[in-house]
Amino acid sequence: MQVLAELNKAEACIFVVEDAHWIDSATAGLIATLPAIGTPLILTSRPEFDASWMTPNESLRIDLTPLPEGDIRRIAEDALGGDLSQSLADLIAEKSEGVPLVAEELVRALRYDDRLVEGADGLDYRGDGTLLTGNLEQLVLSRIDRLSDQQRATLQTASAIGRDFSEDVLSAALGRDSAIATIAAEPGLVEQSATGQWRFAHALIRDAVYGSLLGSHRKAAHARIAGAIEGQGGAASRDWALLAEHFMKADNPEKAVPAMIRAAAGDLNVYALGQGDRTLEQAMQYVEIDPGIVDQDQFRDLAVTWLRAIDQMGDFGRLTAVSDRVLPRLERAGYSPALSIARTLTAISLTHTRDYEGAEALALATLRDAEDQSDPWGAAWAKVALMRTYEETGWQPCAVVERLATEIQPVAEATDDRHLAMASLYLLSAIYRSTGYRLKALDVADQIITFAETHDDRRATAYAAWARALVHSTDGNPELS
């Protein structure tokens, strides 16, 4: 956000986001903040895209309807470089139904079929107009069929990668030089987007090519693509979500599920919490069918990442339900830091359902186990659960909660656990607020702000704002709150 804001200050910019209906939740959250910094934004999407954050007085919505016949005629004449006869203009307008992409493909089909002739009032169509289809997929595939077998295979493999694709990945998946530049000479199929990067000229072009792949050929293509991605770069830089997608489409859950777990961990780091929840729900369904699909370490990563994402979403009913699914296997495997975290987050969810005795008992048992196993991280999280319980119930004096927070912070720093650090500070502010220490509560909120700035963490900024808002609300100052 800071980078975009500085760019806009340095030189007037307009940010354009196309096909917003395909973006992930984290990117959608970023885009939603652009109007707040005064950045002009043009966004295109299908009708189902949720842009409820755009207020009517700050935005202009333009619903794109089919183009009128005159506009379709101008598109066709521009593509053909000459005037059209009225009959040909009428034919293209009728078949395209006002869709510019279809009009362009119709023009290409006319040119390739050598059916254009000079008429008295401009270019005309030779033959029976009923043979000219307005079906976009058929129009595209008729052009693909004119390519060589190797070029056709290249385009089909590229379509399995997605609308955007890397030349290196494509060549690795093909096992040969893709020679994609030669295919790009054919207008309207693919175009270069950056060095080594290509994209289909339109998403519907890609869809038409991908739809031409038989089921078995699709699986094979996705398997080769997944292998190509695996072979490039180290694990740290790998696009795990993309890898998981290709393994799933290759019908290889043994490879897909571990990649999904890694992808969800990345989602958690950027607060794409809903995406992480959906990914791990899908992964867990495979694990429940075949527990051996992941080893114990992978299962622990799945459980902790999943529960932490749901905890930060604030959906404590779902957290309890997911906990019931993952805790039995964690318990059977014996103590681990993952078991400690899972128990702790379950205890926190119990406080939200007002089961304070159950929450305290589970947190204390987890704390004892963690200390017995010399696990400071697990112990620190158990203390967070206790802080939450005592903040709600007042069962322990403020000094006890202060001591817990003091013991948690060094562990959070040593393990670089931002969620742990924010949770303990927020709860400390809450206990100060509920016991009447207003200035101390605001001081801790300032500490969260400092943490947010140091770690460039947007969620920490939200924690601090919420902590301050509650103090001002308690003061009877709703405007400042």
Side-chain angles (χ1 to χ4, degrees):
M1 277 305 304
Q2 291 175 345
V3 171
L4 296 180
E6 291 302 319
L7 280 173
N8 195 42
K9 286 180 184 177
E11 185 174 354
C13 298
I14 296 177
F15 290 93
V16 180
V17 181
E18 294 185 315
D19 297 325
H21 46 274
W22 281 315
I23 62 177
D24 58 75
S25 58
T27 306
L30 176 64
I31 292 171
T33 63
L34 289 176
I37 62 174
T39 303
L41 172 66
I42 297 175
L43 184 147
T44 67
S45 73
R46 292 177 183 170
E48 64 267 21
F49 178 67
D50 179 15
S52 54
W53 44 269
M54 281 190 170
T55 56
N57 62 329
E58 294 178 343
S59 60
L60 173 65
R61 178 188 176 99
I62 302 174
D63 292 316
L64 299 181
T65 56
L67 293 181
E69 291 185 9
D71 290 343
I72 291 294
R73 179 172 189 157
R74 281 193 291 275
I75 288 172
E77 289 179 335
D78 183 62
L80 290 172
D83 294 335
L84 302 187
S85 67
Q86 188 61 49
S87 60
L88 181 55
D90 291 344
L91 179 65
I92 294 175
E94 175 195 348
K95 298 290 186 180
S96 69
E97 297 183 346
V99 179
L101 178 63
V102 176
E104 292 172 348
E105 287 300 319
L106 284 166
V107 167
R108 292 188 180 105
L110 288 168
R111 182 184 287 123
Y112 286 120
D113 287 344
D114 196 25
R115 292 179 180 268
L116 292 173
V117 295
E118 287 288 348
D121 56 346
L123 289 171
D124 209 343
Y125 177 69
R126 179 175 55 196
D128 185 359
T130 60
L131 298 177
L132 188 63
T133 176
N135 182 289
L136 178 64
E137 183 175 2
Q138 292 180 19
L139 289 168
V140 172
L141 293 182
S142 69
R143 289 208 288 140
I144 302 301
D145 286 342
R146 294 186 179 91
L147 301 175
S148 69
D149 290 345
Q150 191 175 76
Q151 288 177 322
R152 190 160 51 249
T154 296
L155 269 189
Q156 289 175 329
T157 302
S159 74
I161 297 174
R163 184 183 178 187
D164 295 272
F165 55 92
S166 157
E167 187 170 356
D168 289 342
V169 169
L170 177 58
S171 294
L174 291 167
R176 58 173 170 79
D177 183 359
S178 68
I180 191 68
T182 61
I183 300 176
E186 172 75 19
L189 289 177
V190 295
E191 56 196 19
Q192 191 167 22
S193 56
T195 303
Q197 300 293 320
W198 297 80
R199 69 184 334 226
F200 282 87
H202 195 284
L204 295 178
I205 301 290
R206 178 263 173 185
D207 292 348
V209 178
Y210 186 65
S212 70
L213 275 168
L214 297 176
S216 59
H217 293 171
R218 283 189 188 183
K219 284 185 181 181
H222 286 295
R224 292 195 306 272
I225 293 162
I229 295 172
E230 271 193 312
Q232 292 194 330
S237 61
R238 193 164 295 154
D239 188 335
W240 292 101
L242 184 63
L243 190 59
E245 176 188 349
H246 287 297
F247 275 130
M248 287 301 303
K249 290 179 178 178
D251 195 20
N252 187 348
E254 292 82 4
K255 287 267 197 174
V257 170
M260 292 164 77
I261 296 170
R262 297 288 293 267
D267 291 333
L268 178 61
N269 286 337
V270 297
Y271 299 118
L273 306 176
Q275 180 61 47
D277 177 28
R278 290 188 293 272
T279 297
L280 291 177
E281 173 62 47
Q282 186 181 12
M284 187 62 182
Q285 289 177 13
Y286 280 100
V287 172
E288 287 170 333
I289 294 170
D290 179 9
I293 206 168
V294 292
D295 61 31
Q296 194 59 33
D297 286 338
Q298 290 169 331
F299 185 80
R300 287 169 178 149
D301 288 342
L302 181 155
V304 170
T305 302
W306 199 4
L307 292 173
R308 292 182 72 169
I310 299 171
D311 174 69
Q312 293 188 50
M313 290 167 65
D315 190 344
F316 298 104
R318 176 156 174 73
L319 192 150
T320 301
V322 169
S323 176
D324 289 342
R325 294 164 69 186
V326 300
L327 270 179
R329 178 166 171 174
L330 293 175
E331 296 276 8
R332 287 195 302 270
Y335 183 83
S336 67
L339 174 60
S340 178
I341 300 300
R343 285 175 172 174
T344 294
L345 295 177
T346 303
I348 292 173
S349 74
L350 292 176
T351 67
H352 287 272
T353 58
R354 303 295 187 265
D355 183 2
Y356 299 119
E357 291 182 356
E360 183 186 39
L362 183 56
L364 286 171
T366 302
L367 178 59
R368 285 193 298 271
D369 288 347
E371 290 177 340
D372 288 345
Q373 297 293 326
S374 299
D375 176 15
W377 187 51
W381 269 105
K383 291 172 184 176
V384 167
L386 290 173
M387 288 181 69
R388 176 70 192 184
T389 303
Y390 299 148
E391 188 269 327
E392 290 263 346
T393 62
W395 287 351
Q396 293 290 343
C398 187
V400 171
V401 180
E402 285 180 315
R403 176 178 56 78
L404 291 172
T406 300
E407 293 169 352
I408 290 169
Q409 283 305 308
V411 179
E413 292 174 9
T415 57
D416 192 27
D417 190 336
R418 299 182 185 184
H419 186 192
L420 175 62
M422 287 189 295
S424 63
L425 286 172
Y426 175 79
L427 289 170
L428 182 59
S429 177
I431 197 75
Y432 282 146
R433 170 177 46 81
S434 61
T435 53
Y437 292 104
R438 175 183 175 279
L439 293 179
K440 284 188 175 183
L442 291 174
D443 179 65
V444 175
D446 288 340
Q447 292 179 44
I448 303 175
I449 285 286
T450 300
F451 178 90
E453 293 172 347
T454 303
H455 294 83
D456 190 23
D457 194 307
R458 288 188 296 129
R459 182 163 288 256
T461 304
Y463 267 72
W466 185 246
R468 279 187 161 277
L470 291 175
V471 174
H472 296 314
S473 179
T474 304
D475 288 344
N477 190 340
E479 292 83 4
L480 191 55
S481 176

